[in-house]
Amino acid sequence: MHLSVHFRVASSLVILATASASAFAAESAPARVTFTKDVAPILQEKCQECHRPGQMAPMSLLTFEEARPWAKSMRENVAAGKMPPYFADQSSLKMKHDQSLSQAQKDTILAWIDAGTPKGDPKDMPAPREFPAGEDGWRLGTPDIVLQPMEPFPVPAGSDDLYQCFAVPFGV
């Protein structure tokens, strides 16, 4: 009889501990990260300025279908701090147009990739970001003057830090 009481108490403690651990895990576990709800807003804010057709980045990240094939590369570059490139010293002053990712944004992108890049509910996808088109599509506002060299200057492939001076008439 004495053994039976200890067994019941031990069983109850195991059940209680398991239930408590399950409840704690459910409360502390992050929600499932998806492209449409979590990653797309980050890409719109921090990446799409360059990662879209006609810009300097080698691939577009406007849609899930465009971003998904680049998940492995995104993981490597985000984890290493190479993307997005932002070279201002962040320990001194807050800079305008800072494209760097916060730790939470990095964690979200990495969690999405580690979860197998789930797309998510299309209803959660934010409206596409709109970018100015054509010559007036200046990121920092229309400049007062745009100067062009008188003749084209070809840049040789593989050049390192090429420095060139141009005489440019500006009519002022």
Side-chain angles (χ1 to χ4, degrees), residues 70-123:
W70 295 98
K72 182 179 179 184
S73 177
M74 288 170 67
R75 178 171 226 318
E76 292 170 9
N77 286 289
V78 167
K82 293 179 185 176
M83 283 287 146
Y86 187 71
F87 305 109
D89 180 4
Q90 296 176 346
S91 67
S92 57
L93 298 171
K94 178 78 176 137
M95 304 294 254
K96 278 181 126 180
H97 309 292
D98 180 353
Q99 292 300 105
S100 59
L101 296 171
S102 69
Q103 189 59 52
Q105 290 170 323
K106 289 177 187 179
D107 292 345
T108 298
I109 292 170
L110 298 177
W112 170 68
I113 295 166
D114 292 344
T117 63
K119 183 174 184 177
D121 189 338
K123 292 183 287 189

Side-chain angles (χ1 to χ4, degrees), residues 38-57:
D38 305 294
V39 176
I42 297 169
L43 298 182
Q44 285 182 343
E45 178 187 353
K46 300 292 188 168
C47 308
Q48 291 178 359
E49 186 68 41
C50 299
H51 286 276
R52 60 189 168 102
Q55 295 304 310
M56 67 186 89

Side-chain angles (χ1 to χ4, degrees), residues 3 60 116:
L3 181 60
S60 177

